[in-house]
Every structure is written in structure tokens, then in C-alpha cells.
Amino acid sequence: MPKKECVGNECLIWMFTQMVRIREFEEAVKRAFIEHPGVIRGHTHLGDGAEASIVGALSTRNSTDVVMPSYRCHGYPIVLGTPMRNIMAEVFGRKDGLCKGFGGSMHLADPARYFPGTSGIIGQSIAHATGAALSAQVKKTGQIVYCFFGDGASKQGAFFESVNMAAVWKLPIVYVLENNQYQAYTHVGLEDANCIAGDPLSKKAEAFSIPGVTVDGTDPVKVSEAVGKAAERARAGEGPSLVESKFYRLSAHGNVITVPPLPTQFPEHEAIAVYGNKAEFQEWQKKDPIVQFRSRLVREVGLAEDDVKGIEQVARAEVADAVQFALASPYPDPQQAGNYVYA
Amino acid sequence: MPPLTYLEAIRQGIWEEMERDPTVFCLGEDIGIYGGAFKVTDGFIDRFGPERVIDTPIAESAIVGAAFGASLTGMRPVAEFQFMDFIGCAFNQIVNMVAKAHYRWGAPAPLVIRGPSGGNVHGGPFHSQNPEMWFVHAPGLKVVCPASAYDAKGLIKAAIRDNNPVIFFEHKYLYRRIKEEVPAEDYIVPLGKARIAREGRDLSIITYAAMVHVALEAAEILAKEGIDLEIVDLRTVSPLDREAIAQTVRKTNKVILLHEDVRTGGLAGEIAAIINEEAFDDLDGPIVRITAQDSPVPFSPPQEEYFLPKVSDVVREAHKLKAY
């Protein structure tokens, strides 16, 4: 839904629908490790917990604005309208995948929907998004770029080099720092200087003299407001902003990879598996963005329980169909592994 | 038209492509107002404006990353490195992001990364290297090393028009040292095609970049002794023109591989393997390598002179090989 149409209750229902679609997709991927052992190979990273942040941010988007997420990238094309079938087939490494099975979970792209690609190496796509914003500026297309990356990525050189450039050139870009509290397996409190000093991560914006705000990333409306403000600034030619969207990754960083035929597995969250801190995990589970937003729609907006269930059922059916499609799709021809090296 | 230097030829090539195609733009350190450390883009900002001739911070990773992002969104960036030695700062962006883009997503990444490489200017270990092999080893990239002004212009234009990422090594020793007549009309030199820089019958030298001129000089000396050298200028070092390599070996049956890069892991080893695969039966003598030694590029002028392959090395090795 383009930003102009995302107002009122209709927008809230749209947001909830997209959040549920992402959650159902991610849960199906996670279940595949058990229901279809060995089907998923390679690294797969889930965005459960990020739904409100993703959808809130994208609710401010015009239909031709560019979106560049990190390697944890399933949710964004789902919102952009990329068929789930092709996303799932790509996660499964199949021929009908979004990238013909050449990319996998971390390397999704859908250029026709203004999603030029991702980076499987942390933080690098911040520079690519900055370049996409440069394109928009040079070509005067009026597009802005939504650049998503994690708390871990904000310690990469690419972050500092790119945000400085964007500030110098007043590029039309919004940097959305998704603070999901864990840099792979390490808690943000062990790796981020701002966090250790008791400051928000958005303080990094001060180094570039650009606006920096921190927002509750479990609430899509709050994210929409904060990102919307940053997007307006970008559209007005005033340059980049940094929005720290703070939420909690509800699954582990990613699956463990194994040598076939041993199936891959999805481990327990790092809070429990690495730090033995079940209380922290449970605390954030209570702030699950889907659960919170669902009850708010029923309580405040007056959405009927049956309508909510209807949204959930439609999403579940869409995901189930995507899984069946992906399972039925063949693997790419081994002898074609040398294709597409050059354009 | 007056003869053009190698540098002027590159400059003209980029200029013409910018005139021809509004999606072509340049970015890099000091390329705009200052006109570039070697003045390749001198005057560009006055003609094309600061939006298409962009002075960047000293941030190589983001220069390549931003160029890549721009290439994915409809532009054809030409990113300058002040010295190609500094490309190490952008290595991940190039070999992981740029090189594998089309393979991962089927998305073309039409960008050019260009800048000066090579020694013989006493620049020392960080301003004299020939880092082409770092990128020859990364499928998805094209790597170009022109030796003449004509080729430099035609190849930079082909590189800008190519839908793949191209790493374009300009030999800084040649920048103002060689001059030649270059046609006024639009032309390109296709990527991936070698040329015969000198026809000969007795033995072949396969080489590229500044070493083409070393080989040509040696050929003049050897011609006086009745030894007729054929010189193959590869022009593009990735992808290699395998057929041109095989053809010259089939013709002369004796081959010297010459490059300014260091020996171990240098292109000569790869070409030797190709000859082994394509033309083993045609060889009448050992494949000879003449390369720089395996060390950083020395700063001290006499040491650098010792380090670099010389005309006398080619003459000596040609004599030995001719005796087979």
C-alpha cells in the first residue's frame, strides 16, 4: 500500500495483514527444519519480532521508492508484493526461486519491485543503498531509499563511510537501524559503545550532524511516524536521517549448517542458548509485536475476532501454498552452475 | 588530429561516453575541482557539473559500494582510485558484492573501477603495484590492462558500455610517455580480445600493459640478429583470449610469458596452464616466464630497476629459447 493510501483504520488493518504474512512465512520456514528435514541448506535468518518495524517503515513508502534490506530479508519483499511462492522456493534453493536458486535466503532481490538486492556480508549493503540514493538524486526521480540494517552492521566501516557521504551530499535516504539486540550471537550490550554508555544507538547520528531518533520497533504506528518524518525530510532534499527501531529478534540468529545428509536445525534463541537468560527472552515475548497489535485492533479499532482470524487464515493458506510450490519445484540443473557469472 | 597520450586517450574516452550517455558519471577522490591526482578528469566538472563529476570522501569501500548501488538502479558509474594499490580498502565490495551480483540475482552491475597501477616511477610499495591478479581470481569481473593510447580509449569506452563490472588498470608509466594517432570518430576495442602487437615467426612473447613496450624494444634488438619475435598484447586479462594464446604458440612453437606483476600467482602461470591444455603438442621448448620477483615493489630506484623485467632480460631469455 503506497503511503498516500495508508491512513486510518484501513491502514492499521493493512499493517496487521502484512505483519501476519511475514510472521506466518517465517514460522513456516522455521517449521520446515522439522517438517521437511534437510530441505533447507545454507544459512537462513528469520525476521520474527521485526514485523512491526518492517511494515511500519514501509507504510511510509511511495510505490517507486527503493528498499534495501540486510541479509535478514524475507519480510520486505513480502510487503512489496513479491509472490511468496518464489521467495520460499529461493529459500529452498529451487529453480522457481526468486533468483532461480542462485541466491538463497540471504540473497533475495526483486528489481521490478524496487528491491535491488541485499548483502550476505553484514553492513555492506548500506553503501549500496547510499548509491541507489545517489542514482535517485542524479536522475531526479523523486525516489527515496529505505536502507535497513542491524545493530551489528552499525559498527562496520561501510556504515560510517556511507552515512558521512549521504550527509555530505544530502542524499534522499532513510537509514533504519533495526536494533534487535543481538549481533549474531553477541548481545548489543557487549559490542556497542553507545549502548554500553547507556545511550541509544541513534546517537551515532550526531557524528554526522544528521537527525537521529530511537523508536519503539514493536509498534508499527510509532515506527511509521518516525520513519515517515525521516522520509519527508529525504523527499524535501534535506538529506538522510537515522532511525533506530528497537525491538527483539524472537528467533535465534540463524540455523546451524551441517554436512548433508545430516539435516540442518534451528537452535534456541541466544538469550537462552548462549547467555542462559530465559527471563530476558520471556520479557520480550510479552512484547511480541503481532500479539500486541492484534489485541489493540480488537480493543481500540473494534475489529471483530472473526475478521482477525480471517486475516490469519488467509496468510496461513498463502504460506502453505508457497511451501508446497517450493517443495515441488526442481533444483536448478547442476551443469548450469556456471551460468550467470557475466551479464 | 595531433597524436594523443595514453592519458589523454582515456580522458577522451570517458568524456565521449559521458556526452553520449547521461547515465554515465564519475566519482572518486579529488576528481572534480582538482581534476584527479593524475588529471584524467581535468575539466570534467566544468562540462558535466558536480552532479556527474563527484568529489568523494576518502572512503574506498563506500565509493565502490555506492557505485554498485547506483549501477543496480540504472546508472553507469566510473569510480576512480587515486592509486590502484588502495583498492584493498574496497576489496570486499569488489570481490564479494560487485563480482557476484549477476550470479546471485541476474542483475547486471555496469560499473567501471579505474585508476593508475604499475611501477617504474619510484612510487614505492603502496603506489606501484600491479594488483590485477586479485581480481582475475574473482569470476564475474572483467579486468583490462591497456598498453597503447588507441587501445586505452577504445577499451575504456567498451568498459563503460559493458553490462559487467570492469576493473580498468591504467599503467601510470605510460600515462604521458606514449603518444599515437587515434581516430577522431567513435570506436571501441572489444573486451576479451588480444591483439598482435608485432607479427613474427621465431618465438612469441605473450604480455600486456607496459611490458608490451619492453617486448617491442627487445624485438628491435633481436630483429637485427635475425630473430623474429611475435608479440601478443592480451589487452584484457580476464576473461583471457585463449584462442589468441593458442594460435601464437601453434605458429612459433616457442613462447615467453612476460609481466610486470610478481611471479607467484601471476598471470604467466595461468597462461602456461592454458598452453598446456590447448597447444602442448605444438611446443618446441620450455615455457619461459619473465616477471618481477616475489617481493613488494622496492622504493629505491636501483632496487626497483633490478625488480622490474627489462629489455635485456627478454633478449637473454629469447637467445636461450631460440637455441632449442
Side-chain angles (χ1 to χ4, degrees):
Chain A
M1 183 181 281
K3 124 195 128 125
K4 284 180 196 110
E5 294 155 33
C6 206
V7 286
N9 289 353
E10 201 192 325
C11 180
L12 298 180
I13 292 165
W14 176 83
M15 282 180 172
F16 180 69
T17 306
Q18 302 312 314
M19 288 167 64
V20 170
R21 290 177 71 229
I22 298 172
R23 174 63 59 91
E24 290 297 332
F25 185 91
E26 299 295 47
E27 289 197 341
V29 173
K30 203 171 178 179
R31 277 199 310 275
F33 286 92
I34 297 158
E35 291 173 2
H36 310 289
V39 158
I40 296 179
R41 292 286 166 194
H43 293 279
T44 303
H45 307 88
L46 306 179
D48 47 343
E51 297 90 346
S53 183
I54 296 169
V55 175
L58 293 183
S59 71
T60 69
R61 173 181 173 267
N62 280 343
S63 57
T64 61
D65 289 336
V66 175
V67 178
M68 290 193 92
S70 75
Y71 59 93
R72 196 178 294 283
C73 60
H74 303 165
Y76 312 83
I78 289 173
V79 179
L80 296 180
T82 306
M84 262 189 205
R85 284 179 158 198
N86 305 110
I87 304 175
M88 192 65 85
E90 191 62 36
V91 173
F92 286 11
R94 304 305 173 100
K95 199 174 177 175
D96 297 300
L98 197 52
C99 310
K100 300 183 163 73
F102 279 64
S105 163
M106 287 192 281
H107 301 280
L108 302 181
D110 192 351
R113 291 184 172 82
Y114 303 95
F115 166 26
T118 59
S119 163
I121 296 178
I122 288 184
Q124 303 307 301
S125 56
I126 301 171
H128 313 156
T130 305
L134 182 61
S135 279
Q137 187 185 64
V138 173
K139 290 196 285 184
K140 299 182 173 65
T141 60
Q143 293 165 297
I144 67 166
V145 177
Y146 291 78
C147 173
F148 298 90
F149 53 94
D151 43 290
S154 72
K155 262 65 74 182
Q156 274 278 325
F159 169 78
F160 292 92
E161 293 189 16
S162 302
V163 180
N164 180 66
M165 266 184 187
V168 171
W169 298 336
K170 289 194 183 329
L171 293 183
I173 185 165
V174 180
Y175 293 103
V176 182
L177 194 171
E178 299 173 327
N179 180 2
N180 68 14
Q181 319 269 337
Y182 280 85
Q183 162 199 290
Y185 312 102
T186 300
H187 191 270
V188 65
L190 295 172
E191 48 87 2
D192 187 280
N194 301 123
C195 181
I196 289 165
D199 289 321
L201 272 59
S202 58
K203 191 169 186 183
K204 296 182 203 306
E206 284 181 27
F208 311 104
S209 305
I210 61 168
V213 294
T214 295
V215 65
D216 176 1
T218 68
D219 181 342
V221 177
K222 284 188 181 147
V223 174
S224 177
E225 284 165 5
V227 173
K229 210 170 150 192
E232 284 318 307
R233 179 179 142 86
R235 285 183 216 288
E238 289 165 23
S241 309
L242 178 66
V243 178
E244 178 198 6
S245 174
K246 196 172 174 184
F247 55 89
Y248 195 81
R249 166 156 60 65
L250 291 169
S251 289
H253 169 58
N255 61 291
V256 178
I257 56 166
T258 56
V259 178
L262 209 63
T264 47
Q265 287 170 352
F266 215 91
E268 225 176 348
H269 193 277
E270 289 76 21
I272 301 161
V274 180
Y275 298 90
N277 191 351
K278 201 165 188 177
E280 175 195 285
F281 185 74
Q282 285 168 336
E283 202 50 42
W284 278 98
Q285 260 188 325
K286 285 183 208 151
K287 297 181 206 158
D288 182 328
I290 305 270
V291 176
Q292 285 191 129
F293 200 51
R294 187 189 199 279
S295 72
R296 180 165 154 197
L297 285 184
V298 174
R299 209 176 54 240
E300 291 175 23
V301 180
L303 199 66
E305 182 65 26
D306 279 353
D307 291 341
V308 175
K309 280 189 178 147
I311 289 168
E312 290 164 344
Q313 272 159 12
V314 169
R316 247 167 246 153
E318 185 186 9
V319 172
D321 168 73
V323 171
Q324 288 314 310
F325 175 84
L327 287 171
S329 174
Y331 284 105
D333 183 347
Q335 262 130 44
Q336 285 178 10
N339 288 13
Y340 311 116
V341 174
Y342 291 97
Chain B
M1 281 246 316
L4 289 190
T5 62
Y6 180 91
L7 184 142
E8 285 161 348
I10 295 166
R11 175 189 150 72
Q12 265 193 11
I14 303 169
W15 183 289
E16 288 176 14
E17 291 308 295
M18 288 183 76
E19 293 281 6
R20 196 184 58 81
D21 180 351
T23 68
V24 178
F25 74 100
C26 294
L27 72 168
E29 295 154 11
D30 309 311
I31 67 157
I33 295 165
Y34 184 67
F38 287 85
K39 300 288 176 189
V40 173
T41 54
D42 199 20
F44 276 47
I45 198 164
D46 301 325
R47 171 70 187 90
F48 301 106
E51 284 199 338
R52 292 180 69 198
V53 186
I54 304 173
D55 278 316
T56 65
I58 299 174
E60 285 81 5
S61 172
I63 291 169
V64 173
F68 177 48
S71 78
L72 292 173
T73 47
M75 302 297 287
R76 290 184 175 272
V78 179
E80 173 173 305
F81 274 68
Q82 211 153 71
F83 286 86
M84 281 306 229
D85 310 63
F86 308 164
I87 208 162
C89 296
F91 195 68
N92 178 58
Q93 286 290 350
I94 297 171
V95 303
N96 278 323
M97 305 297 140
V98 171
K100 297 170 177 63
H102 191 262
Y103 194 74
R104 291 184 291 159
W105 313 317
L111 69 128
V112 175
I113 295 167
R114 51 156 290 271
S117 64
N120 220 355
V121 296
H122 314 317
F126 291 169
H127 297 78
S128 307
Q129 292 174 86
N130 294 282
E132 58 269 15
M133 291 308 289
W134 301 350
F135 306 101
V136 169
H137 196 63
L141 301 175
K142 293 186 179 179
V143 183
V144 177
C145 301
S148 70
Y150 176 89
D151 280 357
K153 181 173 176 185
L155 287 165
I156 191 73
K157 286 164 74 82
I160 292 169
R161 292 181 199 182
D162 202 277
N163 275 337
N164 294 284
V166 180
I167 319 288
F168 195 86
F169 288 94
E170 301 162 6
H171 203 293
K172 67 174 85 66
Y173 182 77
L174 301 180
Y175 263 158
R176 293 184 170 82
R177 211 165 248 97
I178 58 169
K179 264 188 185 184
E180 68 187 296
E181 294 284 343
V182 170
E185 60 272 18
D186 182 44
Y187 72 94
I188 63 155
V189 172
L191 305 187
K193 291 277 173 216
R195 71 172 176 127
I196 307 291
R198 185 185 194 279
E199 294 257 12
R201 2 164 257 282
D202 293 332
L203 53 93
S204 300
I205 298 197
I206 302 175
T207 185
Y208 59 95
M211 287 297 123
V212 171
H213 301 279
V214 169
L216 285 167
E217 221 180 297
E220 291 312 306
I221 294 168
L222 290 161
K224 287 176 193 146
E225 304 170 14
I227 300 173
D228 191 15
L229 282 192
E230 173 145 303
I231 298 169
V232 176
D233 172 7
L234 291 168
R235 302 198 284 200
T236 298
V237 295
S238 181
L240 276 171
D241 188 343
R242 294 174 70 97
E243 190 43 41
I245 292 166
Q247 244 172 30
T248 193
V249 177
R250 284 182 203 126
K251 180 178 174 188
T252 66
N253 314 113
K254 290 176 181 175
V255 61
I256 292 172
L257 311 175
L258 167 66
H259 59 62
E260 188 183 310
D261 188 14
V262 298
R263 197 170 190 83
T264 303
L267 191 64
E270 184 58 35
I271 298 171
I274 290 171
I275 294 169
N276 204 31
E277 289 157 0
E278 305 279 346
F280 180 73
D281 292 340
D282 295 286
L283 284 173
D284 282 347
I287 299 170
V288 175
R289 285 193 285 175
I290 303 173
T291 69
Q293 66 177 11
D294 286 329
S295 79
V297 183
F299 167 63
S300 154
Q303 285 194 331
E304 189 183 17
E305 198 191 329
Y306 171 81
F307 167 89
L308 292 170
K310 287 171 283 300
V311 174
S312 57
D313 297 330
V314 178
V315 171
R316 185 190 64 239
E317 293 303 319
H319 283 150
K320 281 201 264 176
L321 186 56
K322 181 72 171 53
Y324 273 89

